[in-house]
Amino acid sequence: MQEGLPYKTWTGRSPPISSPGSTTAGGVLKGGRRSVKSMVSENAVIVFSKHGCCMSHVVRRLLLGLGVNPAVYEVEEDDEVSVSDELEMVGAADGKGARLQLPVVFVGGKLFGGLDRVMATHISGELVPILKQAGALWL
């Protein structure tokens, strides 16, 4: 059986991702952690998920099945509130200030949505063109 290319996974086992004013140059936080904003800007597709969440697994498998190799940040239970707050700040910059639930998907540096949005755009046939435009697919 062929083995797929692994996706990047970050785990939230360090101190919270950030607080206002805690970032340093290049988006690296004190303690070596990266900010959500820098991770989003550096990856064509990134999925923020709870560790072991089945809905996050569905999103990742769908993207992998389409040929996208998403970066994945797995949020530990202790860091969930701080990561959610930072995701909302990044998402609010896109004009979507609603409360976000994990899994959260960013495509092309912008908030795309959660499981519902990913599945709805896939079913309607709009997901592949969006992924191509973001540079996540080359076909």
Short mmCIF file of all heavy atoms in Angstrom, two decimals, residues 49-104:
data_model
loop_
_atom_site.label_atom_id
_atom_site.label_comp_id
_atom_site.label_asym_id
_atom_site.label_seq_id
_atom_site.Cartn_x
_atom_site.Cartn_y
_atom_site.Cartn_z
N SER A 49 -7.20 22.41 14.93
CA SER A 49 -8.12 21.38 15.40
C SER A 49 -7.84 21.00 16.84
O SER A 49 -6.77 21.27 17.37
CB SER A 49 -8.00 20.15 14.52
OG SER A 49 -6.73 19.56 14.66
N LYS A 50 -8.84 20.36 17.45
CA LYS A 50 -8.64 19.78 18.77
C LYS A 50 -7.90 18.47 18.61
O LYS A 50 -8.10 17.75 17.63
CB LYS A 50 -9.98 19.49 19.44
CG LYS A 50 -10.73 20.71 19.86
CD LYS A 50 -12.02 20.29 20.55
CE LYS A 50 -12.87 21.49 20.85
NZ LYS A 50 -14.14 21.12 21.49
N HIS A 51 -7.08 18.16 19.56
CA HIS A 51 -6.34 16.90 19.53
C HIS A 51 -7.33 15.74 19.64
O HIS A 51 -8.11 15.66 20.58
CB HIS A 51 -5.33 16.87 20.68
CG HIS A 51 -4.48 15.65 20.68
ND1 HIS A 51 -3.55 15.41 19.70
CD2 HIS A 51 -4.44 14.59 21.51
CE1 HIS A 51 -2.96 14.26 19.95
NE2 HIS A 51 -3.48 13.74 21.04
N GLY A 52 -7.34 14.87 18.63
CA GLY A 52 -8.20 13.69 18.66
C GLY A 52 -9.63 13.92 18.23
O GLY A 52 -10.46 13.03 18.36
N CYS A 53 -9.96 15.09 17.69
CA CYS A 53 -11.34 15.40 17.28
C CYS A 53 -11.68 14.70 15.97
O CYS A 53 -10.95 14.82 14.98
CB CYS A 53 -11.50 16.91 17.13
SG CYS A 53 -13.09 17.42 16.47
N CYS A 54 -12.81 14.00 15.94
CA CYS A 54 -13.19 13.26 14.73
C CYS A 54 -13.58 14.20 13.60
O CYS A 54 -13.35 13.90 12.43
CB CYS A 54 -14.30 12.27 15.03
SG CYS A 54 -15.83 13.01 15.59
N MET A 55 -14.17 15.35 13.90
CA MET A 55 -14.54 16.30 12.85
C MET A 55 -13.30 16.91 12.20
O MET A 55 -13.27 17.15 11.00
CB MET A 55 -15.43 17.43 13.40
CG MET A 55 -16.77 16.95 13.90
SD MET A 55 -17.73 16.20 12.58
CE MET A 55 -17.90 14.54 13.16
N SER A 56 -12.27 17.13 12.99
CA SER A 56 -11.00 17.61 12.45
C SER A 56 -10.39 16.56 11.53
O SER A 56 -9.82 16.88 10.49
CB SER A 56 -10.03 17.94 13.58
OG SER A 56 -10.58 18.92 14.42
N HIS A 57 -10.52 15.31 11.92
CA HIS A 57 -10.01 14.21 11.10
C HIS A 57 -10.73 14.18 9.75
O HIS A 57 -10.11 13.97 8.71
CB HIS A 57 -10.20 12.88 11.84
CG HIS A 57 -9.73 11.69 11.09
ND1 HIS A 57 -8.39 11.41 10.92
CD2 HIS A 57 -10.41 10.73 10.42
CE1 HIS A 57 -8.28 10.31 10.20
NE2 HIS A 57 -9.48 9.88 9.87
N VAL A 58 -12.04 14.42 9.75
CA VAL A 58 -12.83 14.45 8.51
C VAL A 58 -12.32 15.55 7.59
O VAL A 58 -12.12 15.33 6.39
CB VAL A 58 -14.33 14.64 8.82
CG1 VAL A 58 -15.12 14.95 7.56
CG2 VAL A 58 -14.89 13.42 9.51
N VAL A 59 -12.09 16.74 8.13
CA VAL A 59 -11.59 17.87 7.33
C VAL A 59 -10.23 17.53 6.74
O VAL A 59 -9.99 17.73 5.55
CB VAL A 59 -11.52 19.17 8.16
CG1 VAL A 59 -10.78 20.26 7.42
CG2 VAL A 59 -12.92 19.64 8.52
N ARG A 60 -9.33 17.01 7.56
CA ARG A 60 -7.99 16.66 7.08
C ARG A 60 -8.04 15.59 6.00
O ARG A 60 -7.36 15.69 4.98
CB ARG A 60 -7.11 16.19 8.23
CG ARG A 60 -6.69 17.34 9.14
CD ARG A 60 -5.79 16.83 10.21
NE ARG A 60 -6.66 16.33 11.27
CZ ARG A 60 -6.24 15.92 12.45
NH1 ARG A 60 -4.97 15.90 12.73
NH2 ARG A 60 -7.08 15.50 13.36
N ARG A 61 -8.84 14.56 6.21
CA ARG A 61 -8.93 13.47 5.22
C ARG A 61 -9.53 13.96 3.91
O ARG A 61 -9.12 13.54 2.83
CB ARG A 61 -9.74 12.30 5.77
CG ARG A 61 -9.11 11.60 6.95
CD ARG A 61 -7.76 11.02 6.65
NE ARG A 61 -7.84 10.07 5.56
CZ ARG A 61 -6.81 9.52 4.96
NH1 ARG A 61 -5.60 9.81 5.35
NH2 ARG A 61 -6.98 8.68 3.97
N LEU A 62 -10.52 14.85 3.97
CA LEU A 62 -11.11 15.41 2.75
C LEU A 62 -10.06 16.19 1.98
O LEU A 62 -9.91 16.01 0.77
CB LEU A 62 -12.30 16.30 3.08
CG LEU A 62 -12.88 17.08 1.91
CD1 LEU A 62 -13.48 16.13 0.87
CD2 LEU A 62 -13.94 18.05 2.38
N LEU A 63 -9.32 17.05 2.67
CA LEU A 63 -8.29 17.85 1.99
C LEU A 63 -7.19 16.96 1.42
O LEU A 63 -6.73 17.16 0.30
CB LEU A 63 -7.72 18.89 2.95
CG LEU A 63 -8.70 20.00 3.36
CD1 LEU A 63 -8.11 20.84 4.48
CD2 LEU A 63 -9.07 20.86 2.17
N LEU A 64 -6.77 15.96 2.19
CA LEU A 64 -5.75 15.04 1.69
C LEU A 64 -6.26 14.27 0.48
O LEU A 64 -5.52 14.02 -0.48
CB LEU A 64 -5.32 14.07 2.79
CG LEU A 64 -4.42 14.64 3.88
CD1 LEU A 64 -4.29 13.66 5.05
CD2 LEU A 64 -3.05 14.99 3.33
N GLY A 65 -7.53 13.89 0.49
CA GLY A 65 -8.12 13.18 -0.63
C GLY A 65 -8.19 14.01 -1.90
O GLY A 65 -8.15 13.49 -3.01
N LEU A 66 -8.27 15.32 -1.74
CA LEU A 66 -8.29 16.23 -2.89
C LEU A 66 -6.88 16.53 -3.41
O LEU A 66 -6.73 17.16 -4.45
CB LEU A 66 -9.00 17.53 -2.53
CG LEU A 66 -10.49 17.43 -2.26
CD1 LEU A 66 -11.03 18.75 -1.74
CD2 LEU A 66 -11.24 16.99 -3.50
N GLY A 67 -5.87 16.11 -2.65
CA GLY A 67 -4.49 16.37 -3.06
C GLY A 67 -3.84 17.53 -2.35
O GLY A 67 -2.75 17.95 -2.71
N VAL A 68 -4.50 18.07 -1.35
CA VAL A 68 -3.96 19.18 -0.56
C VAL A 68 -3.24 18.59 0.63
O VAL A 68 -3.73 17.67 1.28
CB VAL A 68 -5.09 20.12 -0.09
CG1 VAL A 68 -4.54 21.21 0.80
CG2 VAL A 68 -5.82 20.71 -1.27
N ASN A 69 -2.09 19.13 0.93
CA ASN A 69 -1.31 18.71 2.08
C ASN A 69 -1.38 19.81 3.13
O ASN A 69 -0.49 20.64 3.23
CB ASN A 69 0.14 18.44 1.65
CG ASN A 69 0.91 17.70 2.71
OD1 ASN A 69 0.36 17.13 3.63
ND2 ASN A 69 2.23 17.70 2.56
N PRO A 70 -2.47 19.84 3.94
CA PRO A 70 -2.65 20.97 4.85
C PRO A 70 -1.70 20.92 6.04
O PRO A 70 -1.36 19.84 6.53
CB PRO A 70 -4.10 20.79 5.33
CG PRO A 70 -4.31 19.32 5.30
CD PRO A 70 -3.52 18.84 4.10
N ALA A 71 -1.29 22.09 6.49
CA ALA A 71 -0.59 22.18 7.76
C ALA A 71 -1.67 22.03 8.83
O ALA A 71 -2.80 22.46 8.64
CB ALA A 71 0.11 23.53 7.89
N VAL A 72 -1.33 21.40 9.93
CA VAL A 72 -2.31 21.15 10.99
C VAL A 72 -1.73 21.62 12.32
O VAL A 72 -0.59 21.31 12.64
CB VAL A 72 -2.67 19.65 11.08
CG1 VAL A 72 -3.62 19.39 12.23
CG2 VAL A 72 -3.26 19.17 9.78
N TYR A 73 -2.51 22.38 13.06
CA TYR A 73 -2.14 22.78 14.42
C TYR A 73 -3.14 22.14 15.35
O TYR A 73 -4.33 22.45 15.30
CB TYR A 73 -2.14 24.29 14.59
CG TYR A 73 -1.70 24.72 15.97
CD1 TYR A 73 -0.36 24.97 16.23
CD2 TYR A 73 -2.61 24.83 17.01
CE1 TYR A 73 0.05 25.33 17.51
CE2 TYR A 73 -2.20 25.19 18.28
CZ TYR A 73 -0.87 25.44 18.52
OH TYR A 73 -0.46 25.78 19.78
N GLU A 74 -2.69 21.20 16.16
CA GLU A 74 -3.57 20.53 17.11
C GLU A 74 -3.52 21.26 18.44
O GLU A 74 -2.47 21.40 19.05
CB GLU A 74 -3.16 19.07 17.28
CG GLU A 74 -3.41 18.25 16.04
CD GLU A 74 -3.10 16.78 16.23
OE1 GLU A 74 -2.40 16.42 17.21
OE2 GLU A 74 -3.56 16.00 15.40
N VAL A 75 -4.68 21.72 18.87
CA VAL A 75 -4.81 22.52 20.08
C VAL A 75 -5.07 21.59 21.25
O VAL A 75 -5.99 20.78 21.21
CB VAL A 75 -5.97 23.53 19.94
CG1 VAL A 75 -6.12 24.35 21.21
CG2 VAL A 75 -5.76 24.42 18.74
N GLU A 76 -4.26 21.72 22.28
CA GLU A 76 -4.48 20.96 23.50
C GLU A 76 -5.59 21.64 24.30
O GLU A 76 -5.85 22.82 24.15
CB GLU A 76 -3.19 20.90 24.33
CG GLU A 76 -2.09 20.12 23.67
CD GLU A 76 -2.43 18.65 23.50
OE1 GLU A 76 -3.08 18.07 24.39
OE2 GLU A 76 -2.05 18.09 22.47
N GLU A 77 -6.23 20.89 25.16
CA GLU A 77 -7.37 21.38 25.93
C GLU A 77 -7.00 22.61 26.77
O GLU A 77 -7.78 23.55 26.89
CB GLU A 77 -7.89 20.26 26.83
CG GLU A 77 -9.24 20.54 27.42
CD GLU A 77 -9.80 19.34 28.14
OE1 GLU A 77 -9.55 18.20 27.71
OE2 GLU A 77 -10.50 19.55 29.14
N ASP A 78 -5.79 22.62 27.33
CA ASP A 78 -5.36 23.74 28.17
C ASP A 78 -5.23 25.04 27.39
O ASP A 78 -5.39 26.12 27.94
CB ASP A 78 -4.01 23.42 28.83
CG ASP A 78 -4.09 22.21 29.75
OD1 ASP A 78 -5.21 21.81 30.12
OD2 ASP A 78 -3.02 21.68 30.10
N ASP A 79 -4.88 24.96 26.12
CA ASP A 79 -4.64 26.13 25.29
C ASP A 79 -5.84 26.54 24.45
O ASP A 79 -5.76 27.51 23.71
CB ASP A 79 -3.46 25.89 24.35
CG ASP A 79 -2.15 25.72 25.09
OD1 ASP A 79 -2.05 26.19 26.24
OD2 ASP A 79 -1.23 25.12 24.51
N GLU A 80 -6.94 25.82 24.56
CA GLU A 80 -8.07 26.04 23.65
C GLU A 80 -8.62 27.46 23.71
O GLU A 80 -8.89 28.07 22.67
CB GLU A 80 -9.18 25.04 23.96
CG GLU A 80 -10.25 25.00 22.91
CD GLU A 80 -11.24 23.88 23.14
OE1 GLU A 80 -10.87 22.86 23.74
OE2 GLU A 80 -12.38 24.06 22.72
N VAL A 81 -8.74 28.03 24.89
CA VAL A 81 -9.31 29.38 25.03
C VAL A 81 -8.38 30.42 24.40
O VAL A 81 -8.82 31.27 23.63
CB VAL A 81 -9.58 29.72 26.51
CG1 VAL A 81 -9.99 31.17 26.67
CG2 VAL A 81 -10.64 28.80 27.07
N SER A 82 -7.09 30.34 24.68
CA SER A 82 -6.16 31.34 24.13
C SER A 82 -6.05 31.22 22.62
O SER A 82 -5.98 32.22 21.90
CB SER A 82 -4.79 31.23 24.78
OG SER A 82 -4.21 29.97 24.51
N VAL A 83 -6.03 30.00 22.09
CA VAL A 83 -5.96 29.81 20.64
C VAL A 83 -7.25 30.30 19.99
O VAL A 83 -7.20 30.98 18.96
CB VAL A 83 -5.69 28.33 20.29
CG1 VAL A 83 -5.81 28.09 18.80
CG2 VAL A 83 -4.31 27.92 20.78
N SER A 84 -8.40 30.01 20.58
CA SER A 84 -9.67 30.48 20.03
C SER A 84 -9.73 31.99 19.99
O SER A 84 -10.21 32.58 19.02
CB SER A 84 -10.85 29.94 20.85
OG SER A 84 -10.95 28.57 20.72
N ASP A 85 -9.23 32.64 21.04
CA ASP A 85 -9.20 34.10 21.06
C ASP A 85 -8.34 34.66 19.93
O ASP A 85 -8.71 35.60 19.26
CB ASP A 85 -8.69 34.62 22.41
CG ASP A 85 -9.67 34.37 23.54
OD1 ASP A 85 -10.87 34.10 23.25
OD2 ASP A 85 -9.25 34.45 24.71
N GLU A 86 -7.17 34.05 19.73
CA GLU A 86 -6.29 34.53 18.68
C GLU A 86 -6.87 34.24 17.29
O GLU A 86 -6.76 35.05 16.37
CB GLU A 86 -4.90 33.94 18.80
CG GLU A 86 -3.93 34.62 17.85
CD GLU A 86 -2.49 34.39 18.19
OE1 GLU A 86 -2.17 33.86 19.26
OE2 GLU A 86 -1.65 34.77 17.35
N LEU A 87 -7.52 33.09 17.13
CA LEU A 87 -8.17 32.77 15.86
C LEU A 87 -9.26 33.79 15.55
O LEU A 87 -9.42 34.21 14.40
CB LEU A 87 -8.77 31.36 15.89
CG LEU A 87 -7.79 30.21 15.81
CD1 LEU A 87 -8.50 28.90 16.10
CD2 LEU A 87 -7.11 30.16 14.46
N GLU A 88 -10.01 34.19 16.56
CA GLU A 88 -11.06 35.19 16.36
C GLU A 88 -10.47 36.54 15.96
O GLU A 88 -11.03 37.24 15.12
CB GLU A 88 -11.91 35.33 17.61
CG GLU A 88 -12.81 34.14 17.82
CD GLU A 88 -13.59 34.21 19.11
OE1 GLU A 88 -13.66 35.29 19.73
OE2 GLU A 88 -14.12 33.16 19.51
N MET A 89 -9.31 36.90 16.55
CA MET A 89 -8.67 38.17 16.18
C MET A 89 -8.21 38.12 14.73
O MET A 89 -8.38 39.08 13.99
CB MET A 89 -7.49 38.46 17.12
CG MET A 89 -7.94 38.85 18.49
SD MET A 89 -6.65 39.26 19.70
CE MET A 89 -5.12 39.13 18.89
N VAL A 90 -7.62 37.02 14.31
CA VAL A 90 -7.16 36.87 12.92
C VAL A 90 -8.36 36.83 11.99
O VAL A 90 -8.37 37.45 10.93
CB VAL A 90 -6.28 35.61 12.75
CG1 VAL A 90 -5.96 35.35 11.29
CG2 VAL A 90 -5.00 35.75 13.56
N GLY A 91 -9.42 36.11 12.37
CA GLY A 91 -10.63 36.03 11.58
C GLY A 91 -11.36 37.36 11.50
O GLY A 91 -11.96 37.69 10.48
N ALA A 92 -11.31 38.16 12.58
CA ALA A 92 -11.96 39.47 12.58
C ALA A 92 -11.31 40.41 11.59
O ALA A 92 -11.96 41.28 11.02
CB ALA A 92 -11.92 40.07 13.98
N ALA A 93 -10.02 40.21 11.33
CA ALA A 93 -9.33 41.03 10.33
C ALA A 93 -9.88 40.76 8.94
O ALA A 93 -9.78 41.60 8.05
CB ALA A 93 -7.82 40.74 10.36
N ASP A 94 -10.47 39.58 8.74
CA ASP A 94 -11.10 39.23 7.46
C ASP A 94 -12.55 39.68 7.40
O ASP A 94 -13.24 39.40 6.43
CB ASP A 94 -11.05 37.72 7.23
CG ASP A 94 -9.64 37.20 7.05
OD1 ASP A 94 -8.76 38.02 6.68
OD2 ASP A 94 -9.41 36.01 7.27
N GLY A 95 -13.04 40.34 8.46
CA GLY A 95 -14.41 40.79 8.48
C GLY A 95 -15.39 39.74 9.00
O GLY A 95 -16.59 39.91 8.91
N LYS A 96 -14.88 38.66 9.55
CA LYS A 96 -15.74 37.60 10.10
C LYS A 96 -15.45 37.49 11.58
O LYS A 96 -14.61 36.72 12.00
CB LYS A 96 -15.47 36.27 9.40
CG LYS A 96 -15.72 36.30 7.91
CD LYS A 96 -15.37 34.98 7.28
CE LYS A 96 -15.55 35.04 5.78
NZ LYS A 96 -15.20 33.80 5.13
N GLY A 97 -16.13 38.25 12.38
CA GLY A 97 -15.85 38.30 13.81
C GLY A 97 -16.68 37.34 14.64
O GLY A 97 -16.79 37.50 15.83
N ALA A 98 -17.30 36.35 14.04
CA ALA A 98 -18.15 35.42 14.77
C ALA A 98 -17.32 34.47 15.63
O ALA A 98 -16.13 34.28 15.40
CB ALA A 98 -19.00 34.60 13.79
N ARG A 99 -17.96 33.87 16.63
CA ARG A 99 -17.29 32.90 17.50
C ARG A 99 -16.94 31.66 16.68
O ARG A 99 -17.79 31.09 16.00
CB ARG A 99 -18.22 32.53 18.65
CG ARG A 99 -17.59 31.65 19.67
CD ARG A 99 -16.68 32.45 20.55
NE ARG A 99 -16.06 31.56 21.54
CZ ARG A 99 -14.94 31.86 22.13
NH1 ARG A 99 -14.33 32.98 21.87
NH2 ARG A 99 -14.42 31.04 23.01
N LEU A 100 -15.69 31.27 16.72
CA LEU A 100 -15.21 30.14 15.93
C LEU A 100 -15.19 28.87 16.75
O LEU A 100 -14.84 28.88 17.92
CB LEU A 100 -13.81 30.43 15.40
CG LEU A 100 -13.66 31.65 14.51
CD1 LEU A 100 -12.20 31.89 14.18
CD2 LEU A 100 -14.47 31.49 13.25
N GLN A 101 -15.56 27.77 16.11
CA GLN A 101 -15.47 26.46 16.73
C GLN A 101 -14.48 25.62 15.94
O GLN A 101 -14.45 25.68 14.72
CB GLN A 101 -16.83 25.77 16.73
CG GLN A 101 -17.85 26.43 17.62
CD GLN A 101 -19.17 25.69 17.62
OE1 GLN A 101 -19.47 24.96 16.69
NE2 GLN A 101 -19.95 25.88 18.66
N LEU A 102 -13.69 24.84 16.65
CA LEU A 102 -12.71 23.98 16.00
C LEU A 102 -13.40 22.79 15.37
O LEU A 102 -14.36 22.29 15.94
CB LEU A 102 -11.67 23.52 17.02
CG LEU A 102 -10.85 24.64 17.65
CD1 LEU A 102 -9.95 24.08 18.73
CD2 LEU A 102 -10.04 25.39 16.63
N PRO A 103 -12.99 22.33 14.23
CA PRO A 103 -11.84 22.75 13.43
C PRO A 103 -12.10 24.05 12.67
O PRO A 103 -13.22 24.32 12.24
CB PRO A 103 -11.65 21.60 12.46
CG PRO A 103 -13.01 21.02 12.28
CD PRO A 103 -13.69 21.20 13.61
N VAL A 104 -11.04 24.84 12.53
CA VAL A 104 -11.08 26.09 11.78
C VAL A 104 -10.07 25.97 10.65
O VAL A 104 -8.93 25.57 10.87
CB VAL A 104 -10.73 27.29 12.68
CG1 VAL A 104 -10.67 28.57 11.88
CG2 VAL A 104 -11.73 27.42 13.82
#
